[in-house]
Amino acid sequence: MDAVGWALLLGGAFLVHRGMRGAKNKPDRQPLPISSAGHRPVPRPLGQPPSPARAPGSPVRWVPPGENVEINGLVIPGGMLYVGDTDRVWDAPKCLVQPSLPVARSDPDRLGQFIGYWPNYASIDPRSRLAYLQWLAGGRCDPHINIGYVFLYFYGLERRLALDEAMGEADAITAEVRRLRDIYAGNRSFDGYSADFLQAIDLLTDPGVCDRPPPPTADPSYGLPSRLLLGLGRLVAEGKPLDADWALAWMLAHPETRLRTPARRAFDEFCALFRIRFSAKYPNGLKVNPPKGTIGALPYRVASNDFQASIRGDFSDWPNVANMTKPVNQAREVAEACMTELEPYSRFLGRSPEDGDSLQAQLLLPSELLVEASGAVAGVREWLLNLREPTAIETLLARLGIASDGDKPGRGHVRAAAEALDGLGYGLEPDVRLGGRVPKPGEKVVVFPLPPGVRSQPDLGSAYQAAALTLGLCAVLVHADSVVTPEEERHLLKLVEDSLHLTDGERARLEAHARWLIAEAPSLSQFQSRLAGLTEGRRHDLARFVVAVAAADGHVAVTEVRLLERVYKLLGLEAGRLFSDLHAFGASDDEPVVVRPAIPVPEGKPIPLPPKPEAGVVLDIARIERIRSDTAKVSSLLSEIFVDETMPAVPEPEPRDEPSPFDGLDRRHEALLQELASRTEWPRTDFEQLCRSIDLLPGGALEGLNEWAFERFDDAIVEDGDPVVVNQSLLQPLAGPTP
C-alpha cells in the first residue's frame, strides 16, 4: 500500500456510540446551555461544590513516552498523556489532565461511580480524579480498576496517532495498547475498540498487512475487519482466486456465519479440516467476480467521540466485497460438512476435555487429520488391515483404547468404537447408531472397509432394510440346528449379491451384516413369538418375499429349496404353497425352475446342453418390478417383527384444524420434539431409543430439529452429547399462554 493518511472530518455531530464500557447505564444527556461569554459551563456531578476560579496554568502538551510528570503530588512515570490547562472547556479533549482542577485528598472512586458514560477528566468527581491519577502513577496495571479509567487513558493514545498523526511514536503507543489489552481485553467494549485501533495502525504502518488474511477466530463478528476487506478487495481487483485461508477468514468474519458446537469446541481441528476440504473442492482456488461498489474511505470508530476520522489510500478504488454472499455460502457449505464430521470428536471433548490427545480421541478425528497421527494410531491401522474374521467386541474396544480387557461393553463404548472406525475408513456391524443392538460380552462383531468416499452412517433405504431383515429371517433358520454349513453360509452371502437397488455403502454393510449373522445366531424364540400375532395372509406375504429374493437370479438351488421349506414350516404354511410360489416367480421364464433333483434313470442318449448365452446378464424386468413392489410392503412387515420390544412407541399427533406451533417440521420430527420437551436432559441411550421408535436416525433427527430451530429461533434447540440437552427456553413460546 502507498502512504496512507488519516482524513479527519471535524464537526459538532458525534458518532453513535456502540457498546457499553462500564456497569452504569448511559445517563440522559441534554445540550449544555451557552453562557453569555460564549463558553459552556463545566458539568458537575450532583452535590459537588463549584470548582474554584481557575488561574492561568501550564499550556496543553503531550508528554512523550518515557518522560515523568508530577500532578497533584503524584509522580506519573512513562508519559504518553496530554497535560495542561485550557479555558476552551467546550472543545477540550476528554483525555486532557488539567492540573488546576481539584483532586480529592482521600476516598478515591476506584469503582468509577462518578465518572459517567463517556469519561471526561474535566467533568468527573474529584474522588474519581484521585483514583485515575493513582492508577496512572501505579503503573496503569491494576486489573480491578473501573474500565472507564482505562478508556480515559486510551483516548489520549488514540488521539496522538489518529489526530496528531505522530507516527514516529507509533511503535511505543501500539506496544502500550497491546500491554493494556493483556490486562483489560476481558472487557468486550475495550477489546473491540483497542483491536480496531491496532488494526488501523497496522494498515498505516505495514503496507503488506493486506497481503495475508488475518488469523482465524471463533469469536462472532459484526462486520468484515478492515484488513480483511482490503485484502479481499485487492485479490478480486487483481482477478486472483481465493485460497482456503482467505475463504476461511471471510466465512468466519461474515456476520451471518454461525459456528456449531463442533467448530467452537475443536476450532483448530475445524480450521485444519476446512483447509483440506476446501482445497480439494477448489484445487485452483475460488474465483470471485468483482461487485460494482468500491471501498472508498474506511471509517474509523473513535472511542472518545471527540473527533471523526477515516482512512484513505490506494485501496479506495478496490471492489467492496462486504455485501457479497455467494462466495461466503460456498465456503459455508464446506464448513458445514466439516462440522458434521467433527461431531464425534466434539462430543468426546465435551465429556472428557482433558483427554483430547488420547488414542480414543484421535481416532474420532476425520481421516485427513489422522495423517500425522501418533504411532498408536498407526498400530491400529495395521491391525485393521490384517483383520479378516469377526472379532470379539472386548478385543476391538481394547485395540481402540476405548475400554480395557474384561470391561463389559456398553452402548456408549460401542458407539465410540463405530465413530473411531468411521475416521479410519471402516464400518462396524452391528452399529448402534443405525439401530443395531449392543453386543453382549464375548460376542463377535464385524469390522469392514468402507468403499472410497462412503461414510459408515448413510441413509439406509427401504431396499437395504428389507434385505437386512430377510437375512435375519434366514439366519434364524440356518442356526436352528446350531450348525451353519458352508452351503448355508454361501446362501446367506448370495442373498447379498442378489439384493437389488443398493448403493455401494449399503452393499458393503449388508455383506458385513451377513457375516455377523453367521457368527452370531439371532434369537429363534423371540422371532417365533412375534410371528404368532401375524395373520396367515401376512405370513404368506413374508414367505413370498423370501422366495422372490431367492429367485432373483432366475434359479433356485437345491440348498435354497431346503431352506425355503424351513421358512414355510416356521411360518406355519403348507409346503405345497412353496412350490406354487416358486412356479409363480418363474412363470415368465422359458426354462423350468429347479425344485428337486431328478430321480436317476438308466444311462441313454444324453440330452444336448442348451447353448451358452452371450456375454452379459439378461434381467427379467417383470420379476425385478415384482420384487420392488413387494420390498416396501414386506420391509414394513419385517420391521414390526424385529423391532426392539423395549422401545416405547410414540403415537403420531392427531391432525389439527388450527396452525401448529411446529410449522416447518414433519410429523415424525414434531412427535419427537413433543416428547423431548418433557425433560431438560435425556440420556443418550434413551434419546436414541426414542428416535428409533419414531423411525428416525438419531444423528439426522438432531440435525433436522436444529436446522428448523435456527430458521425459527436463530439458535439450536437440542445440544448433542450424553446427555442430550433440550433448550427449554425455546420451547416455552411453543406451549402457548398459560391458562
Side-chain angles (χ1 to χ4, degrees):
M1 179 188 306
D2 293 338
V4 181
W6 293 84
L8 309 173
L9 305 175
L10 302 177
F14 287 160
L15 295 173
V16 177
H17 184 64
R18 296 190 296 186
M20 295 296 293
R21 303 186 192 129
K24 295 179 66 64
N25 293 328
K26 179 177 179 179
D28 293 335
R29 294 182 176 273
Q30 301 295 332
L32 297 173
I34 303 297
S35 67
S36 58
H39 295 169
R40 299 180 186 229
V42 178
R44 299 187 300 272
L46 294 177
Q48 178 184 340
S51 300
R54 295 196 184 113
S58 58
V60 175
R61 73 183 185 97
W62 165 258
V63 181
E67 181 179 320
N68 297 346
V69 61
E70 182 176 346
I71 301 173
N72 199 49
L74 293 171
V75 176
I76 300 174
M80 288 196 286
L81 68 159
Y82 289 91
V83 178
D85 291 305
T86 178
D87 289 332
R88 299 176 60 85
V89 179
W90 66 90
D91 63 357
K94 296 181 178 69
C95 61
L96 178 62
V97 178
Q98 302 186 47
S100 64
L101 296 179
V103 178
R105 295 178 179 274
S106 61
D107 193 21
D109 177 26
R110 289 171 44 79
L111 298 179
Q113 300 179 68
F114 311 114
I115 62 175
Y117 178 67
W118 261 303
N120 186 333
Y121 188 86
S123 61
I124 61 178
D125 188 279
R127 291 166 290 182
S128 303
R129 295 193 188 109
L130 176 61
Y132 178 52
L133 294 176
Q134 287 178 342
W135 177 74
L136 291 173
R140 311 163 212 195
C141 58
D142 181 359
H144 304 296
I145 199 71
N146 183 278
I147 196 66
Y149 298 120
V150 182
F151 265 104
L152 192 57
Y153 175 54
F154 176 72
Y155 292 166
L157 303 176
E158 180 184 57
R159 185 183 188 88
R160 183 61 175 167
L161 292 186
L163 190 59
D164 294 351
E165 300 185 42
M167 300 309 295
E169 299 176 5
D171 290 344
I173 291 176
T174 54
E176 177 68 355
V177 173
R178 290 191 174 95
R179 185 189 69 83
L180 292 174
R181 284 179 54 82
D182 290 340
I183 305 171
Y184 303 106
N187 179 274
R188 188 171 179 179
S189 184
F190 182 73
D191 176 58
Y193 277 103
S194 58
D196 289 348
F197 173 79
L198 292 176
Q199 178 178 257
I201 300 305
D202 283 342
L203 295 176
L204 291 170
T205 58
D206 183 5
V209 72
C210 297
D211 295 339
R212 53 190 182 275
T217 174
D219 296 332
S221 176
Y222 303 99
L224 297 187
S226 298
R227 170 181 169 182
L228 180 59
L229 182 67
L230 298 186
L232 292 170
R234 169 180 282 181
L235 287 175
V236 175
E238 296 175 352
K240 296 179 179 178
L242 305 184
D243 63 15
D245 287 326
W246 280 107
L248 177 63
W250 192 357
M251 186 271 299
L252 291 175
H254 197 278
E256 294 182 6
T257 293
R258 303 184 188 92
L259 291 182
R260 294 192 281 115
T261 300
R264 297 195 304 271
R265 191 178 279 161
F267 186 69
D268 291 343
E269 290 79 6
F270 165 74
C271 293
L273 185 59
F274 178 92
R275 294 185 180 99
I276 294 172
R277 293 294 175 79
F278 185 90
S279 299
K281 187 172 184 178
Y282 302 101
N284 298 320
L286 179 61
K287 179 70 174 179
V288 178
N289 296 322
K292 294 181 180 179
T294 57
I295 294 175
L298 289 177
Y300 174 76
R301 287 192 309 161
V302 179
S304 66
N305 210 16
D306 278 344
F307 56 93
Q308 295 177 334
S310 61
I311 311 173
R312 293 183 180 275
D314 294 343
F315 57 78
S316 298
D317 295 329
W318 293 349
N320 187 343
V321 302
N323 295 323
M324 298 187 71
T325 57
K326 182 178 178 180
V328 178
N329 290 335
Q330 290 173 298
R332 200 174 288 142
E333 288 179 3
V334 178
E336 283 295 329
C338 293
M339 288 186 282
T340 298
E341 292 200 39
L342 285 169
E343 284 176 353
Y345 181 70
S346 171
R347 285 194 296 270
F348 181 88
L349 293 182
R351 296 189 298 267
S352 306
E354 69 283 356
D355 295 331
D357 294 331
S358 66
L359 172 62
Q360 182 180 355
Q362 291 184 59
L363 289 174
L364 296 177
L365 291 169
S367 57
E368 293 92 335
L369 300 183
L370 289 176
V371 175
E372 303 296 333
S374 66
V377 175
V380 173
R381 286 184 183 277
E382 184 177 359
W383 179 73
L384 290 172
L385 191 62
N386 296 316
L387 188 62
R388 296 287 184 270
E389 301 295 331
T391 184
I393 181 62
E394 293 87 351
T395 301
L396 176 64
L397 295 178
R399 283 282 186 173
L400 299 179
I402 296 172
S404 302
D405 289 335
D407 286 354
K408 182 178 179 180
R411 180 175 294 273
H413 293 127
V414 181
R415 177 186 178 87
E419 291 173 339
L421 291 170
D422 195 5
L424 293 168
Y426 287 81
L428 178 65
E429 190 59 35
D431 192 331
V432 296
R433 300 174 300 174
L434 303 177
R437 66 175 177 84
V438 178
K440 298 176 182 178
E443 284 190 345
K444 295 183 181 299
V445 294
V446 174
V447 178
F448 62 98
L450 296 168
V454 174
R455 290 180 55 83
S456 68
Q457 220 172 336
D459 294 329
L460 300 176
S462 61
Y464 174 89
Q465 300 289 356
L469 292 169
T470 304
L471 279 174
L473 171 60
C474 294
V476 167
L477 300 173
V478 300
H479 280 283
D481 55 3
S482 301
V483 176
V484 180
T485 65
E487 291 80 9
E488 291 172 331
E489 182 175 335
R490 284 194 293 271
H491 173 68
L492 285 179
L493 295 176
K494 182 175 179 296
L495 288 178
V496 176
E497 297 176 3
D498 293 341
S499 298
L500 304 175
H501 315 297
L502 298 180
T503 65
D504 291 342
E506 289 174 336
R507 190 169 296 279
R509 177 166 294 280
L510 190 62
E511 180 180 350
H513 185 65
R515 293 170 57 203
W516 177 68
L517 289 172
I518 294 169
E520 297 293 342
S523 171
L524 177 61
S525 60
Q526 181 187 46
F527 182 74
Q528 288 176 322
S529 65
R530 293 180 181 180
L531 283 176
L534 296 179
T535 65
E536 181 179 353
R538 302 193 79 187
R539 282 183 276 124
H540 191 210
D541 286 340
L542 180 56
R544 290 184 70 253
F545 180 74
V546 178
V547 174
V549 175
D553 61 350
H555 179 79
V556 181
V558 175
T559 55
E560 292 177 305
V561 173
R562 291 172 181 169
L563 183 60
L564 291 173
E565 287 178 332
R566 295 163 66 184
V567 170
Y568 274 66
K569 181 178 179 181
L570 179 63
L571 294 173
L573 302 174
E574 296 178 0
R577 285 196 175 187
L578 166 61
F579 303 113
S580 298
D581 293 337
L582 283 171
H583 284 288
F585 274 101
S588 62
D589 292 335
D590 295 330
E591 296 296 326
V593 175
V594 178
V595 175
R596 290 186 184 277
I599 300 174
V601 297
E603 293 185 2
K605 187 175 181 179
I607 299 176
L609 294 174
K612 292 184 178 181
E614 296 181 2
V617 179
V618 179
L619 298 178
D620 185 336
I621 302 301
R623 175 181 288 113
I624 293 174
E625 288 305 316
R626 286 199 298 273
I627 295 173
R628 291 184 61 184
S629 64
D630 283 345
T631 295
K633 177 172 63 176
V634 179
S635 177
S636 175
L637 174 59
L638 289 168
S639 297
E640 294 177 16
I641 296 172
F642 285 100
V643 71
D644 188 349
E645 291 177 329
T646 63
M647 290 163 32
V650 177
E652 283 284 315
E654 294 296 328
R656 298 184 182 88
D657 295 330
E658 300 177 357
S660 168
F662 301 96
D663 283 343
L665 284 177
D666 58 45
R667 302 298 294 276
R668 288 184 296 174
H669 284 84
E670 178 179 344
L672 174 62
L673 187 54
Q674 287 176 332
E675 287 295 315
L676 292 176
S678 63
R679 307 184 204 170
T680 300
E681 294 183 350
W682 286 74
R684 182 76 195 184
T685 55
D686 290 358
F687 172 77
E688 291 177 347
Q689 287 183 349
L690 179 61
C691 290
R692 290 196 298 274
S693 71
I694 315 175
D695 198 21
L696 289 172
L697 293 177
L702 278 170
E703 289 296 321
L705 289 179
N706 283 333
E707 286 179 6
W708 173 80
F710 271 116
E711 288 291 330
R712 183 157 185 170
F713 304 110
D714 198 28
D715 197 0
I717 203 165
V718 184
E719 176 70 23
D720 196 4
D722 193 359
V724 174
V725 179
V726 182
N727 190 343
Q728 294 288 348
S729 63
L730 298 184
L731 289 170
Q732 289 174 359
L734 301 180
T738 303

